[in-house]
Amino acid sequence: MMLRHIVLGFLLSSRAFGLIAPLTNPGGETDIANLVSHVTLLEQLVQKLQADQTSTTTQMVATQSQLKGATAELNTVKTELHAAQAELGVVKFQLSKLPTSIELKDLVTKLHSTASALNVTNQDLASVKQTVSSIAQNNEVAAYEVRLSAQIRPALNTVIKFDDVQYNHGGGFNATTGVFTAPLAGTYILWANMVAYDYSDSLGISLYKGVERIARAWGENPSSEKNEDDTVILTVVYLDVGDQTWYIRDAGTALIEGDYSSYGGALLQAHS
C-alpha cells in the first residue's frame, strides 16, 4: 500500500508531469514510443523503490532486534547495579561498626590491664591460702560455727550467710561471703541445722564443695497446724588445703528461723 502511494505521488508530482507531458505529438496524438519508454522507466523506478523498501524493512527489523538486545542488556546492568549498591550499603554499615585503630589500642590496653589484675588477684588468693594454712598448722586445729541472730529468707540459688560467728579457729570461715576455706588438708565433719519457719511452706538446702553438691536436706511444714521443721545436714568429707564449702538455698520459700539455726565444721584428722 505504501509503495502504491509513493508511485501515485510521484506520477502526480511536477517531475512525473514533466515525463508524461511530452508523450503527445504536436498534432495532439499520443506518442506511443515515448509512452513505452516512460512506462519502462516507471517500472524500473518502482522496482528500485520496492528494493529500497525491502532493504529498509530488513534494516528496521535488525535495528529493532538490536534495540531489544540492548534493552535486555541494560536491564541486566541495572539489576547488577542495584545489587552492587545494596552490597556496598552492607559493607559501609559493617565498616561503620568496626573499631578504629585508636579504639583497638585502648581495647588491647584494657585487656593487658585486666590480665595484670587477674594475676594480682590470683597471687593474693594464693597468699591468703598460704597464710591460713600456716596459722592452722601451728596446732593442726580447724573448726568454725556460725549462728543466725534474726529470721532471713535467702533467694533461691544463693549462698546462705549467717551473721553470728561463734567460733572460727584457723580463720577458714568468711562471714561476709558465707564460704569456708579449708586451712588444712584432712577429713572434716560438716553440719547444718536450719529451722524452716512458715505455715504450709518448705526449705531445701544443699552443701557444696566447689561445684560439687555433696549433701542435701529438706524441711517442710505440711499444714497450718505446724509452722516449724528442722532441715539438717551432717556429713564427713575430705578437704584439701584451699578447698571451699558453702550452703545454697535451692528450694522452698520458708523463712530460716533465727536463734535456732546454725552451721559449721571441724577437722577430724589432718592429712600430710
Side-chain angles (χ1 to χ4, degrees), residues 153-216:
R153 196 192 304 273
L156 285 175
N157 301 317
T158 59
V159 177
I160 300 173
K161 303 173 186 178
F162 286 4
D163 58 339
D164 187 7
V165 179
Q166 298 292 307
Y167 188 69
N168 191 18
H169 193 91
F173 179 72
N174 187 326
T176 302
T177 62
V179 175
F180 171 71
T181 302
L184 294 168
T187 301
Y188 286 79
I189 182 171
L190 302 175
W191 68 87
N193 179 36
M194 302 187 190
V195 179
Y197 180 86
D198 267 337
Y199 290 105
S200 302
D201 209 339
S202 59
L203 172 66
I205 63 173
S206 292
L207 171 62
Y208 277 82
K209 171 189 173 184
V211 297
E212 177 188 7
R213 182 166 60 191
I214 58 176
R216 195 176 188 185

Tab-separated table of all heavy atoms in Angstrom, residues 153-216:
chain	number	residue	atom	x	y	z
A	153	ARG	N	15.264	-14.787	104.696
A	153	ARG	CA	14.663	-15.565	103.604
A	153	ARG	C	15.602	-15.447	102.384
A	153	ARG	O	15.385	-14.624	101.481
A	153	ARG	CB	13.281	-15.055	103.242
A	153	ARG	CG	12.453	-16.043	102.399
A	153	ARG	CD	11.194	-15.370	101.819
A	153	ARG	NE	10.359	-14.767	102.812
A	153	ARG	CZ	9.396	-15.384	103.503
A	153	ARG	NH1	9.170	-16.673	103.284
A	153	ARG	NH2	8.667	-14.730	104.402
A	154	PRO	N	16.664	-16.252	102.324
A	154	PRO	CA	17.606	-16.155	101.203
A	154	PRO	C	16.915	-16.476	99.878
A	154	PRO	O	16.017	-17.315	99.811
A	154	PRO	CB	18.667	-17.220	101.530
A	154	PRO	CG	18.503	-17.497	102.985
A	154	PRO	CD	17.066	-17.297	103.284
A	155	ALA	N	17.338	-15.803	98.830
A	155	ALA	CA	16.804	-16.075	97.493
A	155	ALA	C	17.272	-17.438	97.014
A	155	ALA	O	18.281	-17.987	97.500
A	155	ALA	CB	17.250	-14.992	96.509
A	156	LEU	N	16.532	-18.009	96.102
A	156	LEU	CA	16.904	-19.314	95.555
A	156	LEU	C	18.275	-19.246	94.884
A	156	LEU	O	18.628	-18.251	94.252
A	156	LEU	CB	15.860	-19.779	94.542
A	156	LEU	CG	14.529	-20.280	95.103
A	156	LEU	CD1	13.558	-20.597	93.961
A	156	LEU	CD2	14.713	-21.498	95.994
A	157	ASN	N	19.028	-20.336	95.070
A	157	ASN	CA	20.341	-20.494	94.433
A	157	ASN	C	21.330	-19.412	94.846
A	157	ASN	O	22.179	-18.984	94.047
A	157	ASN	CB	20.195	-20.535	92.906
A	157	ASN	CG	19.301	-21.662	92.433
A	157	ASN	OD1	19.402	-22.784	92.927
A	157	ASN	ND2	18.417	-21.371	91.499
A	158	THR	N	21.206	-18.952	96.077
A	158	THR	CA	22.185	-18.012	96.628
A	158	THR	C	22.810	-18.618	97.877
A	158	THR	O	22.231	-19.497	98.527
A	158	THR	CB	21.543	-16.668	96.984
A	158	THR	OG1	20.502	-16.891	97.956
A	158	THR	CG2	20.941	-16.013	95.750
A	159	VAL	N	24.007	-18.149	98.215
A	159	VAL	CA	24.721	-18.657	99.395
A	159	VAL	C	23.992	-18.201	100.665
A	159	VAL	O	23.596	-17.044	100.803
A	159	VAL	CB	26.171	-18.154	99.407
A	159	VAL	CG1	26.897	-18.625	100.664
A	159	VAL	CG2	26.902	-18.637	98.157
A	160	ILE	N	23.788	-19.146	101.596
A	160	ILE	CA	23.154	-18.829	102.880
A	160	ILE	C	24.227	-18.266	103.818
A	160	ILE	O	25.216	-18.944	104.112
A	160	ILE	CB	22.506	-20.079	103.496
A	160	ILE	CG1	21.427	-20.617	102.541
A	160	ILE	CG2	21.900	-19.759	104.856
A	160	ILE	CD1	20.839	-21.941	102.976
A	161	LYS	N	24.014	-17.029	104.282
A	161	LYS	CA	25.009	-16.363	105.121
A	161	LYS	C	24.406	-16.100	106.505
A	161	LYS	O	23.401	-15.396	106.624
A	161	LYS	CB	25.434	-15.032	104.481
A	161	LYS	CG	25.991	-15.175	103.076
A	161	LYS	CD	26.235	-13.816	102.452
A	161	LYS	CE	26.646	-13.935	100.997
A	161	LYS	NZ	26.835	-12.608	100.357
A	162	PHE	N	25.016	-16.700	107.554
A	162	PHE	CA	24.636	-16.408	108.936
A	162	PHE	C	25.614	-15.373	109.500
A	162	PHE	O	26.782	-15.307	109.095
A	162	PHE	CB	24.660	-17.680	109.770
A	162	PHE	CG	23.505	-18.612	109.488
A	162	PHE	CD1	22.581	-18.337	108.490
A	162	PHE	CD2	23.345	-19.768	110.232
A	162	PHE	CE1	21.521	-19.184	108.251
A	162	PHE	CE2	22.273	-20.630	109.991
A	162	PHE	CZ	21.363	-20.334	108.993
A	163	ASP	N	25.142	-14.596	110.452
A	163	ASP	CA	25.903	-13.413	110.851
A	163	ASP	C	26.613	-13.509	112.203
A	163	ASP	O	27.501	-12.721	112.512
A	163	ASP	CB	24.963	-12.206	110.880
A	163	ASP	CG	23.797	-12.401	111.830
A	163	ASP	OD1	23.477	-13.563	112.166
A	163	ASP	OD2	23.198	-11.396	112.242
A	164	ASP	N	26.224	-14.472	113.027
A	164	ASP	CA	26.751	-14.528	114.403
A	164	ASP	C	27.823	-15.613	114.494
A	164	ASP	O	27.533	-16.788	114.739
A	164	ASP	CB	25.597	-14.807	115.369
A	164	ASP	CG	26.037	-14.700	116.828
A	164	ASP	OD1	27.191	-14.287	117.072
A	164	ASP	OD2	25.229	-15.053	117.709
A	165	VAL	N	29.089	-15.221	114.273
A	165	VAL	CA	30.195	-16.191	114.290
A	165	VAL	C	30.532	-16.549	115.738
A	165	VAL	O	30.968	-15.698	116.524
A	165	VAL	CB	31.434	-15.617	113.571
A	165	VAL	CG1	32.578	-16.620	113.617
A	165	VAL	CG2	31.096	-15.246	112.130
A	166	GLN	N	30.359	-17.828	116.098
A	166	GLN	CA	30.633	-18.317	117.450
A	166	GLN	C	32.072	-18.782	117.613
A	166	GLN	O	32.672	-18.622	118.674
A	166	GLN	CB	29.681	-19.481	117.776
A	166	GLN	CG	28.202	-19.107	117.761
A	166	GLN	CD	27.839	-18.178	118.898
A	166	GLN	OE1	28.123	-18.458	120.068
A	166	GLN	NE2	27.210	-17.046	118.569
A	167	TYR	N	32.626	-19.332	116.544
A	167	TYR	CA	33.953	-19.938	116.641
A	167	TYR	C	34.555	-19.990	115.238
A	167	TYR	O	33.865	-20.317	114.286
A	167	TYR	CB	33.814	-21.347	117.234
A	167	TYR	CG	35.109	-22.033	117.567
A	167	TYR	CD1	35.910	-21.579	118.619
A	167	TYR	CD2	35.544	-23.143	116.845
A	167	TYR	CE1	37.092	-22.221	118.946
A	167	TYR	CE2	36.726	-23.782	117.166
A	167	TYR	CZ	37.498	-23.314	118.209
A	167	TYR	OH	38.678	-23.946	118.537
A	168	ASN	N	35.842	-19.669	115.128
A	168	ASN	CA	36.491	-19.677	113.814
A	168	ASN	C	37.981	-19.909	113.998
A	168	ASN	O	38.822	-19.082	113.640
A	168	ASN	CB	36.225	-18.356	113.079
A	168	ASN	CG	36.638	-18.414	111.605
A	168	ASN	OD1	36.814	-19.487	111.040
A	168	ASN	ND2	36.805	-17.250	110.990
A	169	HIS	N	38.334	-21.070	114.556
A	169	HIS	CA	39.729	-21.396	114.798
A	169	HIS	C	40.398	-21.785	113.471
A	169	HIS	O	39.942	-22.673	112.773
A	169	HIS	CB	39.854	-22.549	115.794
A	169	HIS	CG	41.249	-22.716	116.308
A	169	HIS	ND1	41.704	-22.080	117.439
A	169	HIS	CD2	42.305	-23.424	115.822
A	169	HIS	CE1	42.973	-22.399	117.656
A	169	HIS	NE2	43.355	-23.210	116.667
A	170	GLY	N	41.474	-21.109	113.145
A	170	GLY	CA	42.151	-21.331	111.870
A	170	GLY	C	41.764	-20.296	110.826
A	170	GLY	O	42.390	-20.202	109.770
A	171	GLY	N	40.711	-19.501	111.124
A	171	GLY	CA	40.323	-18.402	110.224
A	171	GLY	C	39.788	-18.835	108.877
A	171	GLY	O	39.822	-18.056	107.922
A	172	GLY	N	39.268	-20.056	108.800
A	172	GLY	CA	38.818	-20.539	107.490
A	172	GLY	C	37.465	-20.007	107.056
A	172	GLY	O	37.165	-20.004	105.865
A	173	PHE	N	36.631	-19.532	108.012
A	173	PHE	CA	35.276	-19.097	107.642
A	173	PHE	C	35.244	-17.597	107.373
A	173	PHE	O	35.777	-16.801	108.139
A	173	PHE	CB	34.272	-19.439	108.742
A	173	PHE	CG	32.877	-18.997	108.426
A	173	PHE	CD1	32.132	-19.648	107.468
A	173	PHE	CD2	32.311	-17.906	109.068
A	173	PHE	CE1	30.853	-19.234	107.155
A	173	PHE	CE2	31.024	-17.486	108.770
A	173	PHE	CZ	30.296	-18.148	107.803
A	174	ASN	N	34.567	-17.218	106.283
A	174	ASN	CA	34.404	-15.815	105.908
A	174	ASN	C	32.930	-15.455	106.070
A	174	ASN	O	32.078	-15.888	105.287
A	174	ASN	CB	34.845	-15.599	104.455
A	174	ASN	CG	34.856	-14.129	104.060
A	174	ASN	OD1	34.035	-13.351	104.523
A	174	ASN	ND2	35.788	-13.762	103.184
A	175	ALA	N	32.620	-14.655	107.089
A	175	ALA	CA	31.221	-14.318	107.369
A	175	ALA	C	30.619	-13.444	106.274
A	175	ALA	O	29.400	-13.463	106.061
A	175	ALA	CB	31.126	-13.603	108.716
A	176	THR	N	31.445	-12.694	105.562
A	176	THR	CA	30.930	-11.819	104.505
A	176	THR	C	30.416	-12.614	103.314
A	176	THR	O	29.370	-12.286	102.738
A	176	THR	CB	32.026	-10.849	104.032
A	176	THR	OG1	32.486	-10.082	105.150
A	176	THR	CG2	31.506	-9.914	102.952
A	177	THR	N	31.140	-13.660	102.966
A	177	THR	CA	30.754	-14.468	101.795
A	177	THR	C	29.983	-15.719	102.166
A	177	THR	O	29.330	-16.317	101.312
A	177	THR	CB	31.997	-14.874	101.000
A	177	THR	OG1	32.845	-15.699	101.829
A	177	THR	CG2	32.771	-13.648	100.542
A	178	GLY	N	30.068	-16.161	103.434
A	178	GLY	CA	29.432	-17.407	103.839
A	178	GLY	C	30.189	-18.637	103.382
A	178	GLY	O	29.632	-19.742	103.367
A	179	VAL	N	31.462	-18.480	103.034
A	179	VAL	CA	32.270	-19.570	102.476
A	179	VAL	C	33.327	-19.993	103.481
A	179	VAL	O	33.992	-19.145	104.100
A	179	VAL	CB	32.943	-19.133	101.160
A	179	VAL	CG1	33.882	-20.221	100.644
A	179	VAL	CG2	31.881	-18.816	100.109
A	180	PHE	N	33.501	-21.324	103.636
A	180	PHE	CA	34.562	-21.863	104.480
A	180	PHE	C	35.676	-22.374	103.581
A	180	PHE	O	35.448	-23.190	102.684
A	180	PHE	CB	34.037	-23.003	105.360
A	180	PHE	CG	35.110	-23.733	106.099
A	180	PHE	CD1	35.779	-23.134	107.167
A	180	PHE	CD2	35.488	-25.016	105.724
A	180	PHE	CE1	36.782	-23.799	107.850
A	180	PHE	CE2	36.491	-25.689	106.411
A	180	PHE	CZ	37.144	-25.079	107.477
A	181	THR	N	36.917	-21.919	103.822
A	181	THR	CA	38.092	-22.358	103.078
A	181	THR	C	38.961	-23.212	104.000
A	181	THR	O	39.408	-22.735	105.054
A	181	THR	CB	38.910	-21.157	102.570
A	181	THR	OG1	38.066	-20.327	101.749
A	181	THR	CG2	40.091	-21.622	101.742
A	182	ALA	N	39.187	-24.449	103.607
A	182	ALA	CA	39.935	-25.379	104.463
A	182	ALA	C	41.374	-24.903	104.633
A	182	ALA	O	42.103	-24.792	103.641
A	182	ALA	CB	39.906	-26.774	103.871
A	183	PRO	N	41.822	-24.650	105.877
A	183	PRO	CA	43.217	-24.236	106.094
A	183	PRO	C	44.175	-25.413	106.146
A	183	PRO	O	45.382	-25.228	106.020
A	183	PRO	CB	43.150	-23.519	107.442
A	183	PRO	CG	42.014	-24.160	108.147
A	183	PRO	CD	41.022	-24.560	107.108
A	184	LEU	N	43.632	-26.624	106.334
A	184	LEU	CA	44.449	-27.838	106.418
A	184	LEU	C	43.820	-28.944	105.579
A	184	LEU	O	42.595	-28.989	105.417
A	184	LEU	CB	44.567	-28.324	107.861
A	184	LEU	CG	45.328	-27.428	108.846
A	184	LEU	CD1	45.104	-27.905	110.269
A	184	LEU	CD2	46.819	-27.416	108.520
A	185	ALA	N	44.661	-29.803	105.056
A	185	ALA	CA	44.150	-30.967	104.338
A	185	ALA	C	43.788	-32.048	105.341
A	185	ALA	O	44.548	-32.334	106.255
A	185	ALA	CB	45.204	-31.473	103.362
A	186	GLY	N	42.606	-32.625	105.170
A	186	GLY	CA	42.214	-33.689	106.094
A	186	GLY	C	40.743	-34.036	105.981
A	186	GLY	O	40.030	-33.574	105.106
A	187	THR	N	40.301	-34.852	106.941
A	187	THR	CA	38.902	-35.268	106.998
A	187	THR	C	38.133	-34.310	107.900
A	187	THR	O	38.509	-34.092	109.056
A	187	THR	CB	38.796	-36.700	107.547
A	187	THR	OG1	39.533	-37.588	106.693
A	187	THR	CG2	37.351	-37.152	107.615
A	188	TYR	N	37.035	-33.782	107.380
A	188	TYR	CA	36.232	-32.800	108.108
A	188	TYR	C	34.828	-33.350	108.344
A	188	TYR	O	34.300	-34.123	107.544
A	188	TYR	CB	36.107	-31.484	107.300
A	188	TYR	CG	37.344	-30.633	107.282
A	188	TYR	CD1	38.417	-30.938	106.442
A	188	TYR	CD2	37.448	-29.501	108.086
A	188	TYR	CE1	39.549	-30.130	106.415
A	188	TYR	CE2	38.573	-28.694	108.054
A	188	TYR	CZ	39.619	-29.021	107.221
A	188	TYR	OH	40.733	-28.226	107.192
A	189	ILE	N	34.242	-32.916	109.428
A	189	ILE	CA	32.825	-33.122	109.654
A	189	ILE	C	32.132	-31.766	109.478
A	189	ILE	O	32.587	-30.751	110.017
A	189	ILE	CB	32.532	-33.720	111.048
A	189	ILE	CG1	31.014	-33.948	111.191
A	189	ILE	CG2	33.078	-32.840	112.173
A	189	ILE	CD1	30.643	-34.728	112.447
A	190	LEU	N	31.085	-31.749	108.670
A	190	LEU	CA	30.348	-30.528	108.384
A	190	LEU	C	28.881	-30.745	108.751
A	190	LEU	O	28.325	-31.815	108.501
A	190	LEU	CB	30.462	-30.158	106.904
A	190	LEU	CG	31.886	-29.953	106.358
A	190	LEU	CD1	31.849	-29.725	104.855
A	190	LEU	CD2	32.570	-28.780	107.045
A	191	TRP	N	28.258	-29.758	109.325
A	191	TRP	CA	26.867	-29.885	109.740
A	191	TRP	C	26.111	-28.577	109.523
A	191	TRP	O	26.702	-27.503	109.410
A	191	TRP	CB	26.783	-30.279	111.230
A	191	TRP	CG	27.254	-29.194	112.152
A	191	TRP	CD1	26.537	-28.159	112.664
A	191	TRP	CD2	28.572	-29.036	112.669
A	191	TRP	NE1	27.305	-27.360	113.452
A	191	TRP	CE2	28.573	-27.885	113.483
A	191	TRP	CE3	29.766	-29.772	112.537
A	191	TRP	CZ2	29.706	-27.447	114.160
A	191	TRP	CZ3	30.886	-29.331	113.214
A	191	TRP	CH2	30.853	-28.176	114.018
A	192	ALA	N	24.783	-28.718	109.469
A	192	ALA	CA	23.895	-27.560	109.383
A	192	ALA	C	22.558	-27.935	109.989
A	192	ALA	O	22.047	-29.041	109.775
A	192	ALA	CB	23.709	-27.126	107.931
A	193	ASN	N	21.993	-27.045	110.781
A	193	ASN	CA	20.652	-27.209	111.333
A	193	ASN	C	19.911	-25.887	111.091
A	193	ASN	O	20.140	-24.904	111.789
A	193	ASN	CB	20.694	-27.544	112.816
A	193	ASN	CG	19.290	-27.698	113.388
A	193	ASN	OD1	18.392	-28.195	112.712
A	193	ASN	ND2	19.090	-27.256	114.622
A	194	MET	N	19.032	-25.902	110.078
A	194	MET	CA	18.301	-24.691	109.711
A	194	MET	C	16.810	-24.960	109.877
A	194	MET	O	16.272	-25.899	109.274
A	194	MET	CB	18.624	-24.275	108.270
A	194	MET	CG	20.106	-24.031	108.041
A	194	MET	SD	20.454	-23.355	106.398
A	194	MET	CE	22.257	-23.484	106.378
A	195	VAL	N	16.161	-24.144	110.697
A	195	VAL	CA	14.747	-24.347	111.018
A	195	VAL	C	13.887	-23.589	109.997
A	195	VAL	O	13.971	-22.364	109.884
A	195	VAL	CB	14.440	-23.869	112.444
A	195	VAL	CG1	12.956	-24.051	112.758
A	195	VAL	CG2	15.295	-24.641	113.447
A	196	ALA	N	13.071	-24.344	109.253
A	196	ALA	CA	12.133	-23.747	108.305
A	196	ALA	C	10.935	-23.217	109.069
A	196	ALA	O	10.255	-23.964	109.786
A	196	ALA	CB	11.699	-24.784	107.278
A	197	TYR	N	10.658	-21.920	108.921
A	197	TYR	CA	9.566	-21.297	109.659
A	197	TYR	C	8.590	-20.644	108.682
A	197	TYR	O	8.951	-19.758	107.940
A	197	TYR	CB	10.107	-20.229	110.625
A	197	TYR	CG	9.037	-19.547	111.430
A	197	TYR	CD1	8.590	-20.103	112.613
A	197	TYR	CD2	8.459	-18.357	110.988
A	197	TYR	CE1	7.601	-19.480	113.365
A	197	TYR	CE2	7.474	-17.728	111.721
A	197	TYR	CZ	7.039	-18.294	112.908
A	197	TYR	OH	6.056	-17.681	113.639
A	198	ASP	N	7.349	-21.139	108.682
A	198	ASP	CA	6.216	-20.620	107.903
A	198	ASP	C	5.200	-21.745	107.786
A	198	ASP	O	5.572	-22.912	107.582
A	198	ASP	CB	6.600	-20.143	106.492
A	198	ASP	CG	6.925	-18.660	106.462
A	198	ASP	OD1	6.456	-17.936	107.349
A	198	ASP	OD2	7.664	-18.244	105.555
A	199	TYR	N	3.944	-21.420	107.921
A	199	TYR	CA	2.895	-22.429	107.736
A	199	TYR	C	2.836	-22.868	106.274
A	199	TYR	O	2.933	-22.062	105.356
A	199	TYR	CB	1.533	-21.878	108.164
A	199	TYR	CG	1.397	-21.673	109.647
A	199	TYR	CD1	1.445	-20.389	110.193
A	199	TYR	CD2	1.235	-22.755	110.496
A	199	TYR	CE1	1.318	-20.184	111.562
A	199	TYR	CE2	1.112	-22.567	111.862
A	199	TYR	CZ	1.153	-21.287	112.406
A	199	TYR	OH	1.037	-21.098	113.753
A	200	SER	N	2.665	-24.171	106.087
A	200	SER	CA	2.492	-24.762	104.745
A	200	SER	C	3.578	-24.300	103.782
A	200	SER	O	3.294	-23.907	102.652
A	200	SER	CB	1.107	-24.421	104.192
A	200	SER	OG	0.096	-24.888	105.050
A	201	ASP	N	4.823	-24.350	104.240
A	201	ASP	CA	5.924	-23.933	103.381
A	201	ASP	C	7.094	-24.882	103.591
A	201	ASP	O	7.030	-25.795	104.430
A	201	ASP	CB	6.331	-22.486	103.687
A	201	ASP	CG	6.898	-21.793	102.464
A	201	ASP	OD1	7.348	-22.505	101.536
A	201	ASP	OD2	6.913	-20.559	102.433
A	202	SER	N	8.184	-24.694	102.835
A	202	SER	CA	9.297	-25.649	102.879
A	202	SER	C	10.625	-24.933	102.701
A	202	SER	O	10.691	-23.779	102.291
A	202	SER	CB	9.131	-26.713	101.790
A	202	SER	OG	9.090	-26.108	100.514
A	203	LEU	N	11.697	-25.687	103.006
A	203	LEU	CA	13.061	-25.180	102.866
A	203	LEU	C	13.949	-26.309	102.370
A	203	LEU	O	14.048	-27.354	103.013
A	203	LEU	CB	13.587	-24.643	104.206
A	203	LEU	CG	15.074	-24.256	104.234
A	203	LEU	CD1	15.341	-23.062	103.326
A	203	LEU	CD2	15.522	-23.963	105.668
A	204	GLY	N	14.592	-26.098	101.224
A	204	GLY	CA	15.557	-27.055	100.700
A	204	GLY	C	16.935	-26.433	100.657
A	204	GLY	O	17.098	-25.319	100.155
A	205	ILE	N	17.933	-27.139	101.221
A	205	ILE	CA	19.300	-26.616	101.234
A	205	ILE	C	20.257	-27.671	100.683
A	205	ILE	O	19.985	-28.868	100.729
A	205	ILE	CB	19.743	-26.188	102.656
A	205	ILE	CG1	19.773	-27.402	103.597
A	205	ILE	CG2	18.843	-25.090	103.193
A	205	ILE	CD1	20.356	-27.102	104.966
A	206	SER	N	21.402	-27.208	100.146
A	206	SER	CA	22.435	-28.103	99.633
A	206	SER	C	23.791	-27.607	100.103
A	206	SER	O	24.030	-26.403	100.208
A	206	SER	CB	22.409	-28.156	98.102
A	206	SER	OG	21.240	-28.779	97.632
A	207	LEU	N	24.697	-28.566	100.378
A	207	LEU	CA	26.081	-28.272	100.756
A	207	LEU	C	26.966	-28.517	99.540
A	207	LEU	O	26.930	-29.598	98.948
A	207	LEU	CB	26.520	-29.151	101.918
A	207	LEU	CG	28.014	-29.110	102.298
A	207	LEU	CD1	28.427	-27.706	102.734
A	207	LEU	CD2	28.307	-30.137	103.400
A	208	TYR	N	27.741	-27.508	99.171
A	208	TYR	CA	28.610	-27.609	98.008
A	208	TYR	C	30.075	-27.590	98.419
A	208	TYR	O	30.474	-26.861	99.317
A	208	TYR	CB	28.353	-26.447	97.033
A	208	TYR	CG	27.189	-26.674	96.122
A	208	TYR	CD1	25.892	-26.428	96.555
A	208	TYR	CD2	27.377	-27.154	94.831
A	208	TYR	CE1	24.803	-26.638	95.719
A	208	TYR	CE2	26.298	-27.366	93.990
A	208	TYR	CZ	25.014	-27.112	94.442
A	208	TYR	OH	23.953	-27.323	93.606
A	209	LYS	N	30.837	-28.409	97.695
A	209	LYS	CA	32.294	-28.357	97.766
A	209	LYS	C	32.752	-27.948	96.362
A	209	LYS	O	32.759	-28.762	95.446
A	209	LYS	CB	32.878	-29.720	98.143
A	209	LYS	CG	34.403	-29.797	98.029
A	209	LYS	CD	34.876	-31.233	98.212
A	209	LYS	CE	36.362	-31.377	97.942
A	209	LYS	NZ	36.828	-32.781	98.019
A	210	GLY	N	33.077	-26.688	96.215
A	210	GLY	CA	33.346	-26.179	94.874
A	210	GLY	C	32.077	-26.259	94.043
A	210	GLY	O	31.015	-25.812	94.462
A	211	VAL	N	32.163	-26.886	92.867
A	211	VAL	CA	30.988	-27.022	92.005
A	211	VAL	C	30.215	-28.309	92.278
A	211	VAL	O	29.174	-28.554	91.671
A	211	VAL	CB	31.409	-26.997	90.516
A	211	VAL	CG1	32.035	-25.661	90.165
A	211	VAL	CG2	32.372	-28.132	90.190
A	212	GLU	N	30.707	-29.125	93.223
A	212	GLU	CA	30.088	-30.424	93.508
A	212	GLU	C	29.155	-30.337	94.712
A	212	GLU	O	29.552	-29.873	95.791
A	212	GLU	CB	31.177	-31.471	93.766
A	212	GLU	CG	30.624	-32.835	94.133
A	212	GLU	CD	31.731	-33.799	94.573
A	212	GLU	OE1	32.900	-33.331	94.701
A	212	GLU	OE2	31.417	-34.967	94.799
A	213	ARG	N	27.907	-30.790	94.543
A	213	ARG	CA	26.992	-30.861	95.681
A	213	ARG	C	27.256	-32.164	96.428
A	213	ARG	O	27.169	-33.248	95.862
A	213	ARG	CB	25.536	-30.821	95.209
A	213	ARG	CG	24.547	-30.855	96.362
A	213	ARG	CD	23.153	-30.475	95.925
A	213	ARG	NE	22.631	-31.362	94.905
A	213	ARG	CZ	21.521	-31.116	94.217
A	213	ARG	NH1	20.836	-30.008	94.416
A	213	ARG	NH2	21.102	-31.971	93.301
A	214	ILE	N	27.574	-32.062	97.730
A	214	ILE	CA	27.960	-33.246	98.492
A	214	ILE	C	26.907	-33.657	99.519
A	214	ILE	O	26.994	-34.750	100.095
A	214	ILE	CB	29.320	-33.031	99.197
A	214	ILE	CG1	29.265	-31.827	100.129
A	214	ILE	CG2	30.428	-32.862	98.160
A	214	ILE	CD1	30.562	-31.622	100.920
A	215	ALA	N	25.909	-32.808	99.768
A	215	ALA	CA	24.843	-33.176	100.701
A	215	ALA	C	23.636	-32.289	100.452
A	215	ALA	O	23.757	-31.175	99.932
A	215	ALA	CB	25.304	-33.050	102.143
A	216	ARG	N	22.441	-32.813	100.866
A	216	ARG	CA	21.203	-32.072	100.637
A	216	ARG	C	20.191	-32.412	101.726
A	216	ARG	O	20.179	-33.538	102.242
A	216	ARG	CB	20.639	-32.438	99.265
A	216	ARG	CG	19.568	-31.489	98.758
A	216	ARG	CD	19.147	-31.862	97.362
A	216	ARG	NE	18.272	-30.868	96.770
A	216	ARG	CZ	17.685	-31.001	95.588
A	216	ARG	NH1	17.893	-32.096	94.867
A	216	ARG	NH2	16.894	-30.044	95.126
